[in-house]
Structures are given as structure tokens and as C-alpha cells.
Amino acid sequence: MERKDFLRSLGAGAAFALTFPCLQGCSKDDINGNKVEQPTGVDFTVDLTSQEAQALVPNGGFILKNLVVIAKNFEGEYVAATQVCSHESYDQVRFVNQNGGIFYCDVHGSRFDQDGTPLNQVDSKTAKPIKIYNTELNGSILRVFE
Ligand code: FES
């Protein structure tokens, strides 16, 4: 049986599904992460001597905890921002080594300064800041809070 005969035997719906398998799902499947609600009442601590905090030893490192990105910026200060992007609420905000250290969401490429200010506009939607949290260091215990 030739290809066109095979497709014809399947019917139009199946032939469409075989021909255009990505039409509805691929762009979403290509996205890492999930759409999530902004956390509220953020107030927790991180023991900087613990295993979970090892990525915070070098400047520029970051960890994720409770939907918050906790980073040690390139000046050695601790900064914290929500993981929830202000663009479409994906939980993909991370700290990256660009422009001296910024928060970045790889879903559509939104970039934010360390104070949460948007640095670009990825589409016609108005770019909004992301939530930034306070940090307070007491010995080796880092508190992250609103
Ligand atoms: S959801 Fe982050 S850039 Fe679109």
C-alpha cells in the first residue's frame, strides 16, 4: 500500500493527526515548569551550612525553595525573588550571570533586575516586576521573608 492510499484508508481525522502531531501540544510540551500561584506569607530560613545551601557558596549560585529563588549575587549579597514569572506565571525564574546578575525566565525570555524591575518586554503584554523578598543573615542562618 502506498503512503497516500494508507492515509486515505485512515480517514481525514487520522491523517491530520499523523501529519500535524504538534499543532496543539508541542509548544506547551517544550516548556519546562508549570503555571503556579504566587506564594503568600513567605517567611522561612536556610541553614547556609546545610547540603541544600551548597549552591550558595560561590557568588552567582542559587537555590530554589518554597517557590523562591535564593541567590548569592556577584557582590556576595543574598537576594531572593519569586520563582513565579510575572509574564505568564510559570515557575521558571532563575538567577543567571548576565548584566552582573539578573533573574531570568526561560519560558519566553523575561529578564528582571535584582530589584524585580523588568528589563525587557517579551510581547505586547505590559512587562510587570517580579516579587522580591527580604533577606536577613544571622550567623549561618539566612531568613527569607516578605
Ligand atoms: S512565563 Fe516567564 S517569560 Fe513568559
Side-chain angles (χ1 to χ4, degrees), residues 111-129:
R111 300 160 65 243
F112 305 91
D113 210 343
Q114 290 182 33
D115 66 0
T117 304
L119 296 171
N120 64 342
Q121 194 167 357
V122 297
D123 59 21
S124 59
K125 296 175 191 172
T126 302
K128 294 174 286 190

Side-chain angles (χ1 to χ4, degrees), residues 85-90 92-93 105-110 112 122:
C85 186
S86 61
H87 178 230
E88 288 188 1
S89 300
Y90 281 93
Q92 291 299 295
V93 174
C105 175
D106 69 357
V107 177
H108 307 102
S110 285
F112 305 91
V122 297

Side-chain angles (χ1 to χ4, degrees), residues 25-32:
C26 281
S27 61
K28 181 168 183 356
D29 291 346
D30 292 340
I31 294 172
N32 293 318

Side-chain angles (χ1 to χ4, degrees), residues 96-111:
V96 297
N97 186 5
Q98 292 178 17
N99 298 32
I102 63 167
F103 292 104
Y104 174 73
C105 175
D106 69 357
V107 177
H108 307 102
S110 285
R111 300 160 65 243

Side-chain angles (χ1 to χ4, degrees), residues 131-144:
K131 176 85 175 165
I132 297 296
Y133 299 105
N134 301 304
T135 60
E136 183 180 81
L137 188 60
N138 293 309
S140 64
I141 304 298
L142 181 68
R143 181 181 174 210
V144 178

